[in-house]
Amino acid sequence: MKIKNIHAREILDSRGIPTISTEIELWSGDKGVSEVPSGSSTGKTEVFELRDNDPSRHNGNGVLKAVETINGKIKELVVDKEFTSQKEFDDLLNSTDGTELKSNLGGNTILSCSMAFARAVTNSLGLNLYEYLAMIYWDKEYKESNFKLPTPMVLVMEGGKHGNWATDIQEYMIVPNMDKFKSFSEAFKSSTEVFHNIHDVLNERGYSVGLGLEGGYAPKELTGNEEAFEIIMKGIEKAGFKVGDDFKFALDLASSEFFNEESEKYILKSEKKELSTEEWIALQKEWYKKYPIYSIEDPLNQDDWSGWTSLTEELGKDLVIIGDDLLTTNVKRIQNGIDTKAMNSVLIKLNQIGSVTETLDAIRISTDNGLSSVISHRSGETNDDFIADLVIATPADFCKFGAPSRGERLVKYNRLLEIEEILKR
Ligand code: PGA
Ligand code: ZN
């Protein structure tokens, strides 16, 4: 595969913050375009996101330096060079950067090129993106029968940084019981019905139905974290489903976002509480007894490895415990989590690690060690549906694509609906 041209542009993400779109054209004439996402509640060990820091544009968030790097230095590096694999392409950019966290070229810069290359090659081979990604994941030997639709964790309400601190818990998601719903489309349709019924419950209470960054309801009128559980349970019932049987909760507590490093306390603004680690765990355990919870993400601060290990030892039999900020899609950190039994599931975000190859490696090490994985969007999303194909290509069990309410989220769900249809043929 020889690249004829590469061209990047600054575009805006779903928050109205700049991000990069890159197009790669091969000599075959096939093209691939990428649009990279960006996080708001980012983990400390994510790869470096290159921004201009020029206060006169976009509050310092411009990405013109990244765009210039792609249209200059990277273009010189890759045009007319023969690549035989995705890994070769990604390795070249990584070695040119030369740092562990991609601090020279930027993780966003490298990922943008990596995703565009994947799409261009996919098109040149006449494949679906999930088939190309499966070829890499399974080392060319993929079987059609490996392709399965994920269980969706569908966002319905949100708080924290994403929802103007309506609640301390960042994401309230519902997880459909797949034995009951049978297919992805049926489960997604039913989740959407619950979402609409939650709207009606909020309306009845005179609460705002404004949406947070990922499309979930984020009413400031809530009296605390627990009222959101109550409202969602009402919405499930109103939609004609059974709480616990048909839907359980998946939570992203995003605990690092309200952990104060100096006082070592978890500051729960919506409840006006400052809790020690023990008190925070005790409060969570009350919730987990009271409500039907399926999974919890980032229940503790990202540096508290020993806390994670004890929590997983205590609750890991009953709950899926997912590491996001703790692991940042980083093979070394995931290995550490495996060695210390810190979690039993891994969140996967392409831009936490900054290349397609390394993302697939993170899913592989998780799966090979018996951990489930959750393919995730970011709060700053684009209309790129890459992650829908990623979840199909790999053994990842779950997808976390936000609420069924904003274009940049729906484009991913809709791609899954399309793939479900293709796989049935
Ligand atoms: P982010 O949030 O994209 O703002 O980091 C998503 C998450 O924490 O899972
Ligand atoms: Zn998270």
Side-chain angles (χ1 to χ4, degrees):
M1 274 107 37
K2 242 187 197 175
I3 295 176
K4 183 177 179 194
N5 197 16
I6 179 167
H7 183 74
R9 276 182 301 124
E10 184 182 74
I11 59 165
L12 297 184
D13 70 20
S14 57
R15 303 165 302 179
I17 295 176
T19 188
I20 313 161
S21 175
T22 297
E23 181 178 274
I24 287 184
E25 184 182 1
L26 303 177
W27 274 105
S28 62
D30 297 291
K31 291 178 181 175
V33 180
S34 69
E35 297 179 352
V36 297
S38 169
S40 309
S41 64
T42 46
K44 284 202 279 196
T45 54
E46 295 190 19
V47 291
F48 174 67
E49 193 171 64
L50 181 64
R51 294 207 178 266
D52 300 338
N53 295 321
D54 167 5
S56 70
R57 289 188 77 249
H58 290 292
N59 212 7
N61 287 318
V63 291
L64 295 181
K65 278 186 199 161
V67 165
E68 252 171 54
T69 303
I70 294 170
N71 294 343
K73 189 173 179 168
I74 293 180
K75 183 173 177 174
E76 264 173 45
L77 196 68
V78 301
V79 164
D80 281 338
K81 196 172 162 17
E82 181 76 37
F83 292 100
T84 57
S85 68
Q86 181 77 36
K87 182 167 164 37
E88 221 178 81
F89 181 84
D90 291 346
D91 281 353
L92 177 66
L93 294 192
N94 282 336
S95 62
T96 305
D97 175 87
T99 66
E100 179 120 14
L101 291 180
K102 303 183 172 50
S103 346
N104 285 326
L105 300 178
N108 48 346
T109 315
I110 295 178
L111 179 63
S112 180
C113 301
S114 177
M115 286 165 68
F117 181 78
R119 287 220 183 257
V121 177
T122 298
N123 292 338
S124 78
L125 298 173
L127 296 173
N128 274 294
L129 180 59
Y130 64 83
E131 294 169 311
Y132 171 68
L133 296 174
M135 276 172 58
I136 306 173
Y137 186 89
W138 306 101
D139 202 11
K140 302 191 174 66
E141 299 280 316
Y142 78 86
K143 295 194 219 80
E144 287 275 331
S145 57
N146 285 336
F147 296 140
K148 64 172 191 353
L149 274 291
T151 300
M153 293 175 161
V154 181
L155 184 75
V156 288
M157 290 184 73
E158 60 184 320
K161 252 192 195 163
H162 296 171
N164 201 17
W165 294 97
T167 52
D168 303 288
I169 295 179
Q170 183 176 276
E171 296 164 27
Y172 293 81
M173 293 163 280
I174 51 171
V175 192
N177 174 353
M178 294 307 280
D179 291 333
K180 158 99 190 202
F181 292 109
K182 305 278 190 260
S183 66
F184 169 80
S185 48
E186 187 62 25
F188 183 57
K189 181 212 84 180
S190 306
S191 308
T192 304
E193 288 169 358
V194 172
F195 181 72
H196 292 308
N197 277 279
I198 292 171
H199 175 281
D200 296 347
V201 178
L202 291 169
N203 246 345
E204 282 160 19
R205 292 191 186 196
Y207 286 7
S208 133
V209 289
L211 304 177
L213 294 181
E214 298 180 339
Y217 298 114
K220 261 302 213 189
E221 298 89 349
L222 289 174
T223 53
N225 295 296
E226 290 206 50
E227 197 185 357
F229 285 114
E230 310 287 345
I231 289 172
I232 295 165
M233 291 194 301
K234 282 226 159 63
I236 293 173
E237 281 161 12
K238 234 169 137 45
F241 299 108
K242 285 204 187 77
V243 176
D245 283 354
D246 296 329
F247 288 100
K248 289 189 172 155
F249 285 100
L251 302 177
D252 183 1
L253 298 136
S255 296
S256 304
E257 293 304 316
F258 51 89
F259 179 73
N260 183 306
E261 305 227 337
E262 264 154 48
S263 65
E264 300 199 338
K265 294 261 163 94
Y266 291 91
I267 318 282
L268 274 65
K269 291 194 195 105
S270 81
E271 315 225 341
K272 301 190 176 57
K273 282 181 188 153
E274 295 202 2
L275 304 179
S276 66
T277 301
E278 292 68 35
E279 290 167 331
W280 171 224
I281 292 174
L283 177 62
Q284 288 186 51
K285 283 207 235 155
E286 267 178 44
W287 294 340
Y288 305 158
K289 264 200 209 114
K290 215 160 148 187
Y291 306 108
I293 311 275
Y294 179 78
S295 64
I296 55 173
E297 182 181 328
D298 285 353
L300 290 172
N301 178 40
Q302 60 200 321
D303 300 317
D304 188 1
W305 285 95
S306 61
W308 276 79
T309 300
S310 354
L311 195 81
T312 299
E313 196 182 342
E314 203 184 335
L315 303 177
K317 275 180 255 31
D318 301 321
L319 292 175
V320 176
I321 302 180
I322 308 164
D324 173 13
D325 290 354
L326 179 78
L327 307 173
T328 55
T329 318
N330 181 317
V331 164
K332 283 189 194 151
R333 293 183 72 86
I334 297 170
Q335 185 62 57
N336 192 38
I338 291 163
D339 294 343
T340 57
K341 297 190 170 66
M343 73 288 158
N344 58 27
S345 185
V346 179
L347 202 82
I348 300 288
K349 291 166 167 169
L350 281 153
N351 80 321
Q352 278 184 327
I353 196 64
S355 77
V356 172
T357 302
E358 289 159 288
T359 304
L360 291 168
D361 288 345
I363 301 169
R364 194 179 293 106
I365 190 181
S366 309
T367 309
D368 291 353
N369 285 278
L371 307 180
S372 59
S373 41
V374 184
I375 306 295
S376 173
H377 65 160
R378 300 301 311 237
S379 52
E381 261 302 334
T382 67
N383 286 343
D384 196 324
D385 56 8
F386 197 104
I387 53 177
D389 285 68
L390 181 63
V391 76
I392 300 293
T394 63
D397 309 83
F398 303 99
C399 71
K400 173 176 137 159
F401 293 172
S405 67
R406 295 175 47 141
E408 76 280 3
R409 317 288 148 185
L410 286 165
V411 74
K412 291 143 179 92
Y413 285 121
N414 288 340
R415 171 65 178 155
L416 287 182
L417 293 173
E418 184 186 4
I419 296 174
E420 186 181 76
E421 212 181 272
I422 297 173
L423 294 178
K424 269 193 209 144
R425 274 179 214 151

